[in-house]
Amino acid sequence: MKQLIETPFTQRFGIRHPVMLAPMDKISDGRLASEVTRSGGFGMIGAGYGDPDWIEAAFDAAGDLPVGIGLITWCLLEKPKLLRRVLDRKPAALFVSFGDAEPIIEAAKEHGIPTIWQIQRLEQAEQALEAGTDIIVAQGQDGGGHGMDRGLSALLPAVRDLTGPDQIVLAAGGLADGRGLAASLMLGADGVMMGTRFWASHEANGSDIAKARLVNSGGDDTRRSSFFDIARGLDWPGNYSGRVIQNEFSKPWLNEPEAMKAAADDIRQTYEAADSDDFSVRALIAGESLDLVHDIQPAAAIVESTVRDAARLLSNAPSYLLNQDQPT
Amino acid sequence: MKQLIETPFTQRFGIRHPVMLAPMDKISDGRLASEVTRSGGFGMIGAGYGDPDWIEAAFDAAGDLPVGIGLITWCLLEKPKLLRRVLDRKPAALFVSFGDAEPIIEAAKEHGIPTIWQIQRLEQAEQALEAGTDIIVAQGQDGGGHGMDRGLSALLPAVRDLTGPDQIVLAAGGLADGRGLAASLMLGADGVMMGTRFWASHEANGSDIAKARLVNSGGDDTRRSSFFDIARGLDWPGNYSGRVIQNEFSKPWLNEPEAMKAAADDIRQTYEAADSDDFSVRALIAGESLDLVHDIQPAAAIVESTVRDAARLLSNAPSYLLNQDQPT
């Protein structure tokens, strides 16, 4: 599909559509990332906690198509060798989230790699701006996986007010269609990053059982908590929590955080013993935009419908205005 | 200011601007509500837990200007006499939130009073639709005061998908300017309801000390919790929490909900002993849109700038579209 919408994001990065794939840990593999790039969006490999072999394989699978890569800041800070290996693969951009990424941004700049810093609070946007990050992603709490508790409605325009017009800012969290893209542009973004919608794509790296459960769940079924970090033995810092589809295993614990921590060993054993596709126990990570996801689609169709629907909304936006010249 | 934006909300309720004042408990008194109505918006008295004398005084202060009134559903359900008194005052609309309002909607219909049901989850929107509510307000978690944990980005379009085009739907939570109004229209709303932005108005019923603190605080300073319900001895049901500017008194307790409940008596005593303007102890209720609030303004100026800025954004929205006819 040819380009319909132009923003500073499409201009500066030479892409056709202002839609970035969220680097969902393992889900956004080389195949999905390259397919989003091929479709005119910005494909991102989701390398999460940073497994070097998996990362090499993902880059290899993407082939010649340019894709970026996303990692967890506090993990990558502990792995300087991995950072060098990642930068040597010349990703289209290095995306980091969850922690003070200033040293990583510096290293990427030295290698000439564009950087993306995802923020969850306004004070973090100040850090990202100060570090000279090429793209700031403002992530609302509506999104799947880890994040913090602020929403997009005020955070996104506040980030724009902070940065001024020249900074590339993308919106993320709860966005899954053209309405989300058009609304994000009105709030001051230059484009969107979408995760959950691409998770429910043919190319996403996950089982049919998982994808069917995405289609059959809604935003009301998700909730932020630390339960599945405890269950997976992951020691997340600070006030980060993860949005997942809550299940029979997690629900009884959600309002008892202190008892949950006390029972951590038992919870972990049960979790590890469960089959990887047993989502009555295992975490299925997804955001509130599940309400807008009704089928599994090709990634290309997701990019195209998002842009086409947004273009129609933007084109029709003046129809809300009363024609001042015309007598009624 | 003359009308700039037309939506089904302005058409059906005969107002000039698709901007509703949130019925902030006591803050939205007769003076503020009537001033928003006079400015072309939809003024609402905030009667919260339902003090009959305060309500009568608020309606009297509003005078001949039509204003609505908002109350807490689970409180009003316990007060059938109050409901009748409120309906007898012929409000422009009866707004309810936080609970199953079906019996209240029924009673209001019998009196010919338009109804507004604020929802926080998609499943609640189904209830509100079923009850034949005139306006559904979708409230994101970003807003000040009580609410739940879902954001607007996905909830609002999902509500629109549920209701179809004929239902009046308003957006609330984290919205404070024309960007929020324009974005809400793109997501499928017919207008917005704003609280925090009007709290920081000349006409809002609060002290200069409180208003100065609003101007000097940001969205990062707010957080949802049950702390101030416990401190005020309010027994809120379900999974409701309140977003407030957190302070030195509340912060140490926020991550220890179980210890907080155990210390409830001590917390309440300290709270009650504090001066009403001592916001190092007292709750100052406000939402994340504090990031967008930099001064105290007349309510009329808030309505006007919101609509004017939204109209400009909507008018310019097609500028994002590449001109397909023009060769580059």
Side-chain angles (χ1 to χ4, degrees), chain B:
Chain B
M1 191 175 79
K2 65 179 169 179
Q3 185 169 4
L4 298 178
I5 295 175
E6 186 173 63
T7 77
F9 175 45
T10 61
Q11 290 170 328
R12 214 164 308 165
F13 285 83
I15 55 177
R16 268 177 292 146
H17 306 308
V19 176
M20 180 178 278
L21 168 66
M24 297 174 283
D25 183 25
K26 301 285 197 305
I27 307 296
S28 300
D29 65 1
R31 180 173 169 231
L32 177 56
S34 60
E35 187 59 19
V36 170
T37 295
R38 192 195 318 272
S39 309
F42 200 120
M44 299 286 300
I45 291 170
Y49 302 86
D51 173 340
D53 294 337
W54 189 90
I55 291 172
E56 295 291 349
F59 276 119
D60 291 346
D64 292 337
L65 284 163
V67 296
I69 183 170
L71 292 112
I72 295 165
T73 306
W74 61 264
C75 288
L76 192 55
L77 284 170
E78 293 166 1
K79 299 177 178 177
K81 253 193 223 166
L82 179 66
L83 174 58
R84 279 195 302 276
R85 279 179 70 170
V86 164
L87 293 173
D88 285 344
R89 292 294 309 235
K90 299 279 174 208
L94 175 61
F95 172 110
V96 282
S97 185
F98 315 124
D100 182 354
E102 198 271 337
I104 299 171
I105 303 297
E106 278 304 302
K109 276 173 189 282
E110 282 167 22
H111 283 69
I113 306 297
T115 53
I116 308 170
W117 185 330
Q118 179 175 264
I119 60 93
Q120 289 82 31
R121 289 169 66 81
L122 188 57
E123 63 194 5
Q124 298 166 348
E126 292 174 25
Q127 287 183 297
L129 186 66
E130 180 99 356
T133 315
D134 295 291
I135 299 178
I136 295 176
V137 176
Q139 182 199 30
Q141 63 86 40
D142 328 44
H146 283 93
M148 294 182 93
D149 63 351
R150 292 209 50 180
L152 262 186
S153 305
L155 180 62
L156 179 53
V159 169
R160 174 56 73 202
D161 289 341
L162 173 78
T163 66
D166 293 336
Q167 172 71 43
I168 308 276
V169 176
L170 304 183
L175 309 169
D177 61 21
R179 292 174 288 187
L181 172 53
S184 296
L185 296 177
M186 294 296 104
L187 288 175
D190 301 305
V192 294
M193 188 180 84
M194 307 196 310
T196 299
R197 176 60 272 191
F198 284 115
W199 192 173
S201 72
H202 291 306
E203 295 86 352
N205 180 30
S207 73
D208 289 344
I209 293 174
K211 293 179 187 179
R213 194 173 168 100
L214 295 177
V215 170
N216 294 324
S217 301
D220 286 353
D221 299 321
T222 72
R223 187 165 153 194
R224 305 202 77 80
S225 84
S226 294
F227 179 82
F228 287 103
D229 291 333
I230 288 170
R232 293 181 296 172
L234 296 172
D235 192 18
W236 272 75
N239 286 316
Y240 298 107
S241 60
R243 183 175 294 282
V244 306
I245 300 173
Q246 300 294 344
N247 59 24
E248 299 88 315
F249 182 45
S250 63
K251 281 179 191 167
W253 295 102
L254 292 183
N255 292 324
E256 303 188 72
E258 290 166 41
M260 189 202 298
K261 276 169 211 159
D265 287 344
D266 285 351
I267 290 172
R268 200 177 317 163
Q269 277 175 24
T270 305
Y271 190 84
E272 283 167 5
D275 186 85
S276 65
D277 268 340
D278 176 3
F279 295 111
S280 70
V281 174
R282 290 279 177 155
L284 183 56
I285 299 175
E288 295 190 24
S289 67
L290 282 175
D291 282 332
L292 311 174
V293 170
H294 306 295
D295 50 13
I296 310 299
Q297 293 184 12
I302 293 169
V303 172
E304 291 180 11
S305 66
T306 298
V307 172
R308 191 177 291 117
D309 292 349
R312 202 187 56 244
L313 286 166
L314 295 166
S315 172
N316 293 338
S319 69
Y320 283 104
L321 304 173
L322 276 183
N323 187 338
Q324 304 288 322
D325 304 321
Q326 200 179 318
T328 47

Side-chain angles (χ1 to χ4, degrees), chain A residues 52-281:
Chain A
D53 295 337
W54 188 92
I55 291 172
E56 296 291 349
F59 275 120
D60 292 345
D64 291 339
L65 285 162
V67 296
I69 183 169
L71 292 112
I72 296 164
T73 306
W74 60 264
C75 288
L76 193 55
L77 284 170
E78 294 166 359
K79 298 176 178 178
K81 255 192 221 167
L82 178 66
L83 175 58
R84 277 197 302 276
R85 279 179 70 171
V86 164
L87 294 173
D88 284 344
R89 293 293 309 234
K90 300 279 175 207
L94 175 62
F95 172 110
V96 283
S97 185
F98 315 124
D100 182 354
E102 198 271 337
I104 298 171
I105 304 297
E106 278 303 303
K109 276 174 189 279
E110 283 169 20
H111 283 69
I113 306 296
T115 54
I116 307 170
W117 184 330
Q118 179 175 264
I119 61 93
Q120 290 82 31
R121 290 169 65 83
L122 189 57
E123 62 194 6
Q124 297 166 347
E126 292 173 26
Q127 287 182 297
L129 186 66
E130 180 100 358
T133 314
D134 295 292
I135 299 177
I136 295 176
V137 176
Q139 182 200 29
Q141 62 86 40
D142 327 44
H146 284 93
M148 296 183 91
D149 62 352
R150 292 208 52 180
L152 263 186
S153 305
L155 179 62
L156 179 53
V159 168
R160 175 55 75 204
D161 289 341
L162 173 77
T163 65
D166 292 337
Q167 173 71 44
I168 307 278
V169 176
L170 303 183
L175 309 169
D177 60 22
R179 293 173 289 186
L181 172 53
S184 297
L185 296 177
M186 293 297 104
L187 288 175
D190 301 304
V192 293
M193 189 179 82
M194 307 197 309
T196 298
R197 176 60 270 192
F198 284 115
W199 191 174
S201 71
H202 291 306
E203 294 86 353
N205 179 31
S207 73
D208 289 345
I209 294 174
K211 292 179 187 179
R213 196 174 166 98
L214 295 176
V215 170
N216 294 324
S217 301
D220 286 354
D221 299 319
T222 71
R223 187 166 153 195
R224 306 202 76 82
S225 85
S226 293
F227 179 81
F228 287 103
D229 290 334
I230 289 169
R232 294 181 295 171
L234 296 172
D235 192 20
W236 271 76
N239 287 316
Y240 298 108
S241 60
R243 182 174 295 281
V244 306
I245 300 173
Q246 299 294 343
N247 59 23
E248 299 88 314
F249 183 46
S250 63
K251 282 179 190 167
W253 295 102
L254 292 183
N255 292 324
E256 303 189 72
E258 289 165 41
M260 188 201 300
K261 275 169 211 156
D265 288 343
D266 285 349
I267 289 171
R268 201 176 316 164
Q269 278 174 24
T270 305
Y271 190 83
E272 283 168 5
D275 186 85
S276 66
D277 267 341
D278 177 4
F279 295 112
S280 71
V281 175

